[in-house]
Amino acid sequence: MSNADPMNARKVLATQAGEVSYYDLTTVMTNDHLPYSVRVLLEAALRNVDGFVVTEDDVKTVAEWSPNGEAKEIPFKPGRVVLQDFTGVPAVVDLAALRDGAKRLGGDPQKINPLVPCDLVIDHSVQVDHFATHDALDLNLLVEFQRNRERYEFLKWGQQAFDNFSVVPPGTGIVHQINLEYLANVVMTTDGVAYPDSLVGTDSHTTMINGLGVVGWGVGGIEAEAVMLGQPIYMLTPRVVGFKLTGEMPEGATATDLVLTVTQVLREAGVVGQFVEFFGPGLATMSLPDRATIANMAPEYGATVGFFPVDDVTLDYMRLTGRSAETVDLVERYCKTNQLWRQETVEPMFSRVMELDMGTIQPSLAGPKRPQDRITLADMQPVWQKTLGELGGEGTATAVPVERDGETFELTHGDVVIAAITSCTNTSNPDVLVAAGLLARNAVAKGLTVKPHVKTSLAPGSRVGTDYLAEAGLQDDLDALGFNLVGYGCTTCIGNSGPLPVEIAAAVETNNLVVCSVLSGNRNFEGRVNPHVRANYLASPPLVVAYALAGTTDIDLVNDPIGTDADGNAIYLKDIWPGTDEVNQTVAGCVKAEQFTSRYADVDTGPEQWQQVQSTTGDLFEWKDESTYVQHPPFFRSMTLDVEPIDAISGARCLALLGQSVTTDHISPAGAIKPTQPAGGYLQRQGVEPKDFNSFGSRRGNHEVMMRGTFDNIRVRNAMAPGTEGGFTTYYGPATPADPADTFKPDNDVAPGDVTSIYDAATAYQTHGIGLVVLAGGDYGMGSS
């Protein structure tokens, strides 16, 4: 932050906590109808003018933003960075390696240090190995620490080695919910200067914080590292889509149904790379968790942000979640004084305006492999039957007998084998969690049970979720249906669903069954949730419970019975669905401010296993050659003080020719590692047994694993290797053997014309200095950051 004030914008504001300085937007704003999200960019430019990185011309560029003006490059300096452990570990690995490089070149390693606050939340490492038991949480936590001890030792080293870097321990919650409930203050202060909270994060769903009036979005690790080291994000002035919300939600509809509709509408409209800002009379009746639910899925509808400006709803949520009276006062005074408070009577100007009447929302799901493919509940059965044919299940095996735990049952196409209440989209929202609990209570009272082939799980976004479910007496009802607590973190949605029971997995694989998952998540891309599950549907938490009871997607839950009671009477979904008034009254009685203040009072302590993790100390990390989780990357080993010119690319070959909607999960998988994949082969050569592979995401601190995982999703279809599925290509380069001096070498010898792994082909090409290109269709790179 620059201490200069060349544009004479610095003023003083009185607050309950004393006077603070701030940079007054009215000194540079040329239009009172500037979108609120753009005002945050303008304030950051105004406050950081130094004549070098940020100039007065940059300020004028933002101040003169117009709805359809020419896009111009501007620097944006976010106030902080958030990281989760899958993407955060490689970022910290890079910084540790950069410190080594600095020392080797005679520099001071301590100068490699975050200059803005950075919070890393360990939330992506818990897997659902144990479920439907009272001790599932403890057992999964035990396995988590056994698998990830190397990573946790490394992060504990980083916490003591770097300034401005904190770690929230495992077993606490999902990064975005902790950000929403605790980390974000809406207005920050540094050296007596107040300014809007803003951030970037190494997870695409960083946008959830937009629901609190905080501008932030997900970026790649390299961009996040640059911000950590004081560099700006260089971006084009955004187009801003105004999304007007009117009306009120109808009986039976949830925030999940609303966000699936918003996702479908905006993805069809094409808002990739644009800001979406919500406005209209509908905001007045919308709770902040509902706003956060919509903001969370900005990556699914393609926008950079899904922004809700600060208003009274923001302040009410801050009070509920235990923010101090002084903090709330600062937010209110600052935002009202500095043009950042939502004015209902002043409509901002937008690049274009869209409108949605919330009264038209219907219960919905989305799938089987894209979040934008919404299906109304009423249409689910016929759509599923069409999908089954598209997935190659039509006309094959019907019902397969399975015996498990002394019980025999049948498994067939369309059966639900995973029903998971998971993900930051919904588990930040008490309304839908309580609705799931109430539906469970009503189902138990009717004598309904979950089908035996369904793997059930509940993974709240923070420990507060457990508190209010217990306060309402609903956890016992969820437990009775097998929705026991399995962990606090990102589970099924990131691919940490854990294995299916052996008997079910064998039946699926042997008989080529097309089975389903229903999850309250935001991601259902191919190969992500579970390698045995080919059709994955996003749904609200109460619908997750409903489909667990039904046991299949091949059912009309609007008109067909979901089951029968003890007397053989048909029970319909409408008989057990909780009313909106009941949900609202229950939430009002069970969600309390003291739950938040109590849980976050010792947020840094963590479970006993975390407290027992020992790590090295000092400025430099002590790398271990034998580690399969954390390895010194090669980027800085040959670094010199001389900058080499960038060579032109010529004579390149095509490595992959891909189709439409290739996601980041196809490009760099986060889920399970199969023994037959190149990464699995590497790990086995290092002495790691398949049961200890963990996941690609957990091993992102080891470049040897991640190189072999690139384009190695089990569902990648590369036209360079027709008829294959997985990470294969055809190699056309000169024959190996490789040059012994090369850093990377193929795992296997390849010859021209061979169909081989993408890793082996790429490294073989590298040994001969042959450049490579990847060709892909629309929506390439959609998904996670």
Side-chain angles (χ1 to χ4, degrees):
M1 183 186 306
S2 173
N3 291 320
D5 181 25
M7 304 187 78
N8 298 314
R10 189 158 170 162
K11 295 185 179 178
V12 174
L13 176 68
T15 74
Q16 285 185 9
E19 289 187 346
V20 293
S21 297
Y22 73 101
Y23 285 79
D24 185 2
L25 290 177
T26 62
T27 60
V28 292
M29 275 179 59
T30 58
N31 193 316
D32 292 337
H33 294 266
L34 203 64
Y36 291 97
S37 51
V38 175
R39 298 181 195 195
V40 176
L41 301 181
L42 177 59
E43 191 282 337
L46 179 62
R47 175 169 38 88
N48 287 290
V49 170
D50 59 4
F52 177 61
V53 175
V54 184
T55 67
E56 293 186 36
D57 285 342
D58 293 324
V59 176
K60 293 175 182 176
T61 295
V62 184
E64 294 170 358
W65 181 92
S66 61
N68 294 295
E70 179 186 357
K72 297 180 180 179
E73 187 176 77
I74 57 169
F76 172 52
K77 284 195 167 187
R80 57 191 178 95
V81 175
V82 294
L83 313 98
Q84 39 93 333
D85 53 312
F86 270 15
T87 50
V89 165
V92 181
V93 165
D94 284 354
L95 294 183
L98 187 56
R99 278 194 168 184
D100 288 347
K103 182 180 180 181
R104 184 175 57 81
L105 293 174
D108 181 2
Q110 288 190 338
K111 288 186 177 180
I112 310 300
N113 214 58
L115 297 180
V116 298
C118 302
D119 297 288
L120 186 149
V121 180
I122 302 175
D123 67 339
H124 275 51
S125 297
V126 59
Q127 296 191 38
V128 187
D129 292 287
H130 301 273
F131 64 99
T133 64
H134 72 281
D135 56 355
L137 171 66
D138 293 334
L139 293 173
N140 287 329
L141 196 61
L142 180 64
V143 175
E144 177 185 347
F145 274 87
Q146 290 171 344
R147 286 181 177 141
N148 295 284
R149 181 163 292 274
E150 284 184 48
R151 301 169 68 240
Y152 294 171
E153 290 172 350
F154 173 69
L155 289 175
K156 272 207 165 181
W157 167 82
Q159 191 171 25
Q160 64 81 41
F162 295 108
D163 296 334
N164 286 323
F165 180 71
S166 68
V167 176
V168 176
T172 305
I174 297 176
V175 56
H176 312 304
Q177 189 159 346
I178 292 173
N179 196 15
L180 189 75
E181 295 177 353
Y182 175 68
L183 295 175
N185 281 324
V186 185
V187 174
M188 301 175 69
T189 56
T190 300
D191 298 329
V193 177
Y195 54 98
D197 187 357
S198 63
L199 68 148
V200 291
T202 57
D203 189 287
S204 53
H205 293 105
T206 300
T207 55
M208 183 164 143
I209 205 62
N210 301 162
L212 195 65
V214 176
V215 168
W217 62 85
V219 296
I222 299 298
E223 292 171 291
E225 291 167 29
V227 173
M228 292 166 72
L229 296 174
Q231 297 301 304
I233 293 283
Y234 286 98
M235 58 184 290
L236 296 177
T237 48
R239 288 175 56 84
V240 183
V241 177
F243 199 98
K244 188 175 185 178
L245 293 170
T246 63
E248 295 187 28
M249 295 280 286
E251 184 69 31
T254 69
T256 312
D257 305 315
L258 173 60
V259 75
L260 292 179
T261 304
V262 170
T263 298
Q264 179 188 39
V265 168
L266 284 172
R267 180 58 78 167
E268 288 176 352
V271 296
V272 173
Q274 300 175 28
F275 283 17
V276 172
E277 188 168 306
F278 294 90
F279 73 106
L283 267 63
T285 62
M286 182 179 290
S287 71
L288 196 129
D290 282 3
R291 295 180 181 187
T293 301
I294 295 172
N296 181 282
M297 287 189 73
E300 279 68 41
Y301 46 82
T304 301
V305 298
F307 188 72
F308 291 81
V310 177
D311 59 11
D312 284 319
V313 175
T314 313
L315 302 184
D316 290 343
Y317 183 79
M318 294 184 74
R319 295 185 186 100
L320 173 65
T321 50
R323 268 74 166 201
S324 69
E326 290 81 7
T327 298
V328 176
D329 174 73
L330 171 64
V331 171
E332 181 173 13
R333 290 174 187 263
Y334 175 83
C335 291
K336 286 182 174 178
T337 302
N338 209 21
Q339 313 302 311
L340 292 168
W341 185 267
R342 184 173 73 89
Q343 300 288 332
E344 295 184 16
T345 57
V346 180
E347 184 175 305
M349 54 184 179
F350 296 111
S351 303
R352 58 174 163 159
V353 173
M354 303 178 66
E355 184 171 338
L356 177 66
D357 177 2
M358 293 189 290
T360 65
I361 300 302
Q362 301 179 60
S364 302
L365 299 89
K369 57 185 179 181
R370 297 196 309 178
Q372 64 264 38
D373 295 333
R374 187 177 68 92
I375 310 160
T376 64
L377 182 63
D379 292 336
M380 182 62 190
Q381 186 176 33
V383 171
W384 156 251
Q385 291 171 350
K386 178 182 178 183
T387 298
L388 177 61
E390 293 170 350
L391 294 177
E394 194 173 43
T396 58
T398 53
V400 178
V402 178
E403 183 176 348
R404 178 172 179 261
D405 293 340
E407 183 177 6
T408 301
F409 51 88
E410 291 186 334
L411 194 67
T412 189
H413 294 311
D415 279 350
V416 175
V417 295
I418 292 176
I421 300 175
T422 180
S423 152
C424 45
T425 300
N426 291 288
T427 57
S428 65
N429 195 324
D431 290 353
V432 290
L433 280 190
V434 165
L438 290 170
L439 189 141
R441 172 179 290 177
N442 296 339
V444 170
K446 296 287 188 180
L448 300 180
T449 58
V450 168
K451 298 299 184 285
H453 48 72
V454 183
K455 181 175 183 176
T456 48
S457 61
L458 168 65
S462 78
R463 289 183 175 266
V464 176
T466 304
D467 292 337
Y468 60 69
L469 287 173
E471 179 75 19
L474 296 175
Q475 187 62 60
D476 290 342
D477 299 298
L478 288 164
D479 290 349
L481 296 182
F483 285 93
N484 300 75
L485 180 66
V486 297
Y488 298 97
C490 192
T491 55
T492 308
C493 200
I494 189 62
N496 286 352
S497 59
L500 295 179
V502 173
E503 302 88 347
I504 293 174
V508 171
E509 196 161 344
T510 302
N511 298 279
N512 194 30
L513 295 178
V514 182
V515 292
C516 306
S517 74
V518 181
L519 62 150
S520 66
N522 43 34
R523 290 288 160 81
N524 57 344
F525 300 136
E526 290 184 300
R528 182 179 179 100
V529 170
N530 185 284
H532 288 104
V533 182
R534 295 173 63 186
N536 303 284
Y537 293 94
L538 308 182
S540 66
L543 275 182
V544 170
V545 177
Y547 273 98
L549 295 167
T552 180
T553 56
D554 193 6
I555 185 174
D556 179 357
L557 282 180
V558 175
N559 298 302
D560 295 341
I562 196 171
T564 57
D565 63 16
D567 298 324
N569 298 313
I571 304 298
Y572 294 84
L573 180 60
K574 63 184 178 182
D575 298 330
I576 59 175
W577 192 270
T580 301
D581 288 344
E582 183 183 12
V583 171
N584 291 340
Q585 291 169 12
T586 305
V587 170
C590 71
V591 182
K592 302 176 180 178
E594 52 264 31
Q595 295 164 346
F596 294 90
T597 54
S598 174
R599 286 298 184 184
Y600 288 111
D602 59 351
V603 68
D604 297 329
T605 303
E608 182 180 350
Q609 296 96 324
W610 174 256
Q611 298 171 43
Q612 293 175 351
V613 171
Q614 301 296 315
S615 68
T616 59
T617 59
D619 296 334
L620 301 177
F621 183 65
E622 297 176 11
W623 307 94
K624 299 177 182 178
D625 291 340
E626 67 275 14
S627 174
T628 58
Y629 280 98
V630 178
Q631 278 293 318
H632 193 305
F635 316 132
F636 307 116
R637 285 179 174 165
S638 59
M639 182 173 65
T640 68
L641 296 177
D642 299 321
V643 179
E644 297 182 2
I646 298 175
D647 294 331
I649 298 174
S650 61
R653 302 278 174 83
C654 184
L655 181 67
L657 177 59
L658 309 171
Q660 307 289 323
S661 298
V662 172
T663 73
T664 49
D665 281 74
H666 292 103
I667 300 164
S668 181
I673 303 171
K674 295 180 69 173
T676 54
Q677 289 178 299
Y682 163 82
L683 289 171
Q684 289 175 91
R685 291 193 296 276
Q686 308 308 307
V688 180
E689 297 182 21
K691 67 181 180 65
D692 297 319
F693 278 1
N694 211 335
S695 64
F696 276 111
S698 68
R699 292 187 180 272
R700 281 182 176 161
N702 184 347
H703 59 280
E704 296 287 356
V705 171
M706 298 315 296
M707 289 189 303
R708 289 167 173 82
T710 303
F711 293 111
D712 202 31
N713 182 296
I714 58 174
R715 299 291 176 232
V716 166
R717 287 169 287 277
N718 182 7
M720 296 296 294
T724 67
E725 190 172 52
F728 295 98
T729 193
T730 302
Y731 175 67
Y732 291 105
T736 53
D739 183 339
D742 284 327
T743 303
F744 304 119
K745 305 176 182 63
D747 290 336
N748 302 287
D749 288 342
V750 292
D754 284 353
V755 175
T756 186
S757 72
I758 283 180
Y759 171 79
D760 281 343
T763 48
Y765 281 125
Q766 185 186 49
T767 64
H768 299 284
I770 297 173
L772 297 170
V773 296
V774 173
L775 304 176
D779 288 334
Y780 179 79
M782 66 182 289
S784 301
S785 55

